[in-house]
Amino acid sequence: MKTRTFLNLLSISLLAAWVLTGCDNAADTDTANDLASRTQTVDLDDPYGGFNTADEKPYFGDAMLADEYAAGSDVAVDDDVDTTRTDPRRARRFLMITWGNLRADSLIDFSTDWSGGLCADNAVVVVKRLIRFDPLDHLLPRTSRECVEWVSHTRPHFDGILVELLPPRCDSLATPDAPCARPLSVTFKTGPLTVTIDENELKDLHRVVTVDDAGNAVAFNTIMRMPGDCPSGFLAGRWLPVESDRIDGRFRGQWVSESGLHMGYLHGIYGLNRRGDPVFFGKWIDENGRFEGLLKGRYGLLPASSTSRAEGWFDGMWFSRELAVRGGLAGAWGTGDGDEAGYFRGRWIARCR
């Protein structure tokens, strides 16, 4: 079993972006005009990877994105769990968990039973969305505010769940040992894996745990929101190496809100620029193909990665049509044994101040 933890705070992403751009936050009007409709050409030495800021065809005209990451691939859940005794003044956390064949490796030709549940200590668990549940996969009836259980089996793909963790209301006279003052933690419990995640990790977690030699794994991604914080959400898709003398690989996937609402698609490239720096660039669009942002940043490889199943991290920034900084992004990636085998999971945070 391998565990990889990535605690990428927005400040780290900001620092990486300034190193990459070598400029301040002001938009460069001439550059923005040049990027508006230039022909897109792969270029790891270009400040924006050769991408332009023009609109695109819906889902970039990519059949894989339309098939695997369309808005209907995940199902919203109207969870009627009682939230009246939660505290809106304290931090809320959103946790996305996906399990199964994250890499889409062809070696996994057997079924894995992931039936189990998620329980929180000192938080109410609210289910927001089911990820790729098949007709035979389903949630079980709730027995408490702190736990949710499911039936899930995977074979060639993966399933998942997105939940919100709401803090309980704590009376001003509560003592330090009162139940509402205990540290927050969550426990994911299934046949292949049981793991507990503490409050510090839940601030900004991007962990992938491999559970067997075939490559079945569980990915944990979190977002923490204080009242009044800027918008944020999750990223998910495929991270694929390619045989090319210009780039090392491509990524493509979906851009969703913190509660799992589908907001669009992203695709991009990664590799070493002429200085030998590992960089990535990309573009994200809404459901109709309207331009939403340019992406740029750095990525790295974990020392223990194998040649066929590399694992790593990424962090960077995203920019408006005028090339103003809009926010940060960070997460984890892995490649697999086949040409289409690979994944990335992460989060984005908007900059609204």
Side-chain angles (χ1 to χ4, degrees):
M1 178 185 298
K2 294 183 292 182
T3 301
R4 305 300 185 209
T5 303
F6 307 94
L7 298 178
N8 295 305
L9 301 178
L10 181 57
S11 59
I12 298 175
S13 292
L14 285 167
L15 178 60
W18 302 150
V19 172
L20 282 166
T21 59
C23 63
D24 59 23
N25 188 30
D28 184 332
T29 304
D30 291 338
T31 303
N33 289 335
D34 291 342
L35 288 181
S37 59
R38 69 174 179 176
T39 300
Q40 297 186 115
T41 304
V42 171
D43 186 355
L44 292 172
D45 294 309
D46 180 85
Y48 298 95
F51 289 97
N52 63 29
T53 58
D55 296 339
E56 299 275 353
K57 295 179 180 179
Y59 52 87
F60 294 105
D62 186 333
M64 188 282 287
L65 285 177
D67 182 50
E68 295 194 21
Y69 292 100
S73 60
D74 304 333
V75 178
V77 176
D78 185 13
D79 194 346
D80 60 358
V81 64
D82 180 14
T83 61
T84 57
R85 289 174 288 165
T86 59
D87 191 344
R89 300 166 299 176
R90 296 169 62 194
R92 304 152 56 204
R93 290 171 172 84
F94 294 85
L95 172 60
M96 180 177 72
I97 310 174
T98 47
W99 55 81
N101 188 359
L102 304 182
R103 290 178 166 86
D105 279 334
S106 59
L107 292 179
I108 299 183
D109 57 359
F110 56 90
S111 178
T112 302
D113 186 353
W114 296 93
S115 300
L118 180 77
C119 288
D121 188 9
N122 203 25
V124 176
V125 179
V126 182
V127 182
K128 307 300 289 186
R129 202 161 289 260
L130 300 179
I131 301 171
R132 297 197 179 193
F133 268 39
D134 295 328
L136 296 179
D137 301 325
H138 57 275
L139 292 177
L140 295 174
R142 295 288 293 255
T143 59
S144 74
R145 301 193 314 154
E146 295 79 20
C147 294
V148 59
E149 297 176 297
W150 56 76
V151 172
S152 166
H153 298 80
T154 65
R155 187 166 179 164
H157 294 296
F158 58 87
D159 291 342
I161 192 169
L162 198 159
V163 303
E164 182 177 8
L165 305 174
L166 296 177
R169 186 173 299 160
C170 207
D171 188 276
S172 60
L173 299 179
T175 61
D177 60 348
C180 65
R182 295 196 310 267
L184 167 67
S185 68
V186 296
T187 298
F188 173 84
K189 186 175 183 179
T190 63
L193 177 69
T194 295
V195 62
T196 296
I197 304 169
D198 65 27
E199 186 166 2
N200 287 331
E201 286 187 293
L202 287 168
K203 291 179 181 178
D204 190 27
L205 173 68
H206 309 294
R207 175 194 292 184
V208 178
V209 183
T210 302
V211 301
D212 60 31
D213 292 338
N216 272 311
V218 184
F220 300 90
N221 299 91
T222 65
I223 294 170
M224 187 176 79
R225 286 283 306 277
M226 293 297 295
D229 275 356
C230 301
S232 56
F234 294 101
L235 311 168
R238 293 193 184 184
W239 183 279
L240 307 171
V242 299
E243 293 184 4
S244 170
D245 58 355
R246 296 187 297 169
I247 60 174
D248 290 338
R250 298 182 182 274
F251 58 88
R252 47 186 175 162
Q254 63 179 341
W255 189 287
V256 302
S257 73
E258 59 194 17
S259 61
L261 178 66
H262 198 281
M263 298 177 65
Y265 302 93
L266 67 152
H267 76 179
I269 58 175
Y270 65 88
L272 302 180
N273 62 21
R274 65 186 172 208
R275 294 185 300 273
D277 300 323
V279 296
F280 72 83
F281 300 96
K283 185 175 182 178
W284 83 275
I285 57 174
D286 70 11
E287 289 288 333
N288 299 314
R290 184 179 181 276
F291 172 85
E292 290 289 347
L294 292 176
L295 320 176
K296 65 185 296 184
R298 294 181 182 270
Y299 70 97
L301 184 69
L302 292 172
S305 295
S306 67
T307 302
S308 61
R309 290 181 182 165
E311 293 178 311
W313 55 269
F314 66 87
D315 75 86
M317 303 296 292
W318 54 288
F319 300 80
S320 70
R321 194 184 299 269
E322 294 75 30
L323 306 184
V325 176
R326 293 289 304 279
L329 57 151
W333 59 267
T335 59
D337 295 319
D339 293 339
E340 290 295 311
Y343 71 87
F344 68 88
R345 297 287 187 276
R347 62 100 178 104
W348 59 269
I349 298 176
R351 186 179 186 184
C352 56
R353 296 186 181 89

